[in-house]
Amino acid sequence: MRKSTGRVCKLGVMGGTFDPIHYGHLVAAEGAREELALDKVIFIPAGKPPHKPGHDLADAGDRYLMTGLAIDSNIFFEVSSIEIDRPGPSYTVDTIQFIMNQYPGAEIYFITGADAILEIITWKNVERLLSLCYFVAASRPGYRLDELWEKVGAFIQCPEKKILGMEVPALAISSTDIRRRVREGKTIKYLLPEPVEEYIAKKKLYRR
Ligand code: ATP
Ligand code: MG
């Protein structure tokens, strides 16, 4: 499939562990692309996320390949290995800076779910991050966008200018649930794209 080329002015960046990628991620990215008229969305699987020491992540190569399989049919979507290639923990601010250097002059929209945005605004140096790019908080079952504003407002001033809320079709899908289902031998059909489901089966991922 030929991907979009040419000068990029509005760029979406979708970060995540994508362990594995599922329809919740894809619906949020596509919703942002359409609503904000983004030229493209780059999916960036995290290398070693500083905030997720808890569970053993699947191999970065597997997460990268699954992301590639999931986005292949959308000409506006791309996957990048920048966080995976970088040694040590990945910091979003470094990733955004890297992307800005690759696409000089582009407006960057970092797409997250409503749960992740709450984590992000409590990070150190959030002001610097907000000076570099916009954030898009996609609705996610269990997290209300109106409650989000109250919480965000307690941390930063004028959040509505730099953090945009976006309602997307609610999909109560999470990678945690998908991993658990695989471990328990349950179906994951229709929760994620078929090529990703096939990859998980072929590589016997998440079985323990
Ligand atoms: P895990 O359960 O391992 O945390 P996850 O399903 O939350 O996985 P992540 O890779 O952590 O997926 O999420 C990447 C980004 O996608 C985050 O910003 C997250 O909020 C967002 N996201 C994940 N699932 C959904 C969903 N169902 N709807 C909207 N946004 C989502
Ligand atoms: Mg998550």
Side-chain angles (χ1 to χ4, degrees):
M1 160 91 42
R2 207 173 77 82
K3 297 282 180 175
S4 57
T5 50
R7 198 173 136 65
V8 172
C9 299
K10 289 179 83 176
L11 184 65
V13 172
M14 178 94 199
T17 41
F18 305 131
D19 191 23
I21 188 163
H22 54 69
Y23 282 129
H25 301 128
L26 296 165
V27 161
E30 178 67 1
R33 184 197 69 76
E34 184 182 51
E35 196 163 312
L36 299 165
L38 303 177
D39 295 298
K40 65 168 144 182
V41 178
I42 305 179
F43 286 68
I44 306 185
K48 287 195 192 79
H51 61 286
K52 273 201 177 173
H55 84 268
D56 276 341
L57 285 182
D59 183 70
D62 286 329
R63 290 184 291 111
Y64 174 79
L65 285 175
M66 288 191 283
T67 305
L69 290 171
I71 57 126
D72 191 47
S73 60
N74 190 326
I75 59 163
F76 299 107
F77 287 0
E78 275 180 28
V79 58
S80 161
S81 61
I82 53 168
E83 288 202 356
I84 284 173
D85 295 340
R86 209 165 45 205
S90 313
Y91 290 99
T92 301
V93 64
D94 299 332
T95 302
I96 298 288
Q97 195 64 65
F98 187 94
I99 297 278
M100 287 175 79
N101 296 342
Q102 272 191 326
Y103 294 91
E107 241 173 36
I108 298 186
Y109 293 81
F110 192 86
I111 306 160
T112 73
D115 59 318
I117 196 77
L118 275 179
E119 279 176 30
I120 289 169
I121 53 139
T122 58
W123 286 351
K124 242 174 51 188
N125 297 330
V126 68
E127 284 83 8
R128 167 141 173 73
L129 207 49
L130 285 167
S131 73
L132 297 178
C133 66
Y134 292 92
F135 278 83
V136 183
S139 54
R140 182 171 190 180
Y143 299 88
R144 290 197 18 217
L145 281 181
D146 51 350
E147 284 178 4
L148 175 75
W149 296 129
E150 281 172 34
K151 290 181 187 158
V152 168
F155 280 93
I156 44 176
Q157 294 194 324
C158 291
E160 66 277 12
K161 290 218 178 100
K162 275 302 187 110
I163 304 177
L164 318 167
M166 180 183 64
E167 290 290 343
V168 296
L171 293 180
I173 304 174
S174 72
S175 305
T176 301
D177 182 54
I178 291 173
R179 293 192 300 272
R180 185 182 51 81
R181 283 170 168 275
V182 175
R183 210 166 47 238
E184 294 175 357
K186 291 187 175 153
T187 181
I188 55 169
K189 215 171 184 52
Y190 311 124
L191 299 177
L192 72 186
E194 225 166 273
V196 180
E197 188 194 336
E198 285 162 7
Y199 187 93
I200 290 170
K202 194 179 79 189
K203 298 285 300 261
K204 300 187 168 61
L205 301 182
Y206 310 124
R207 297 241 177 129
R208 42 174 196 102

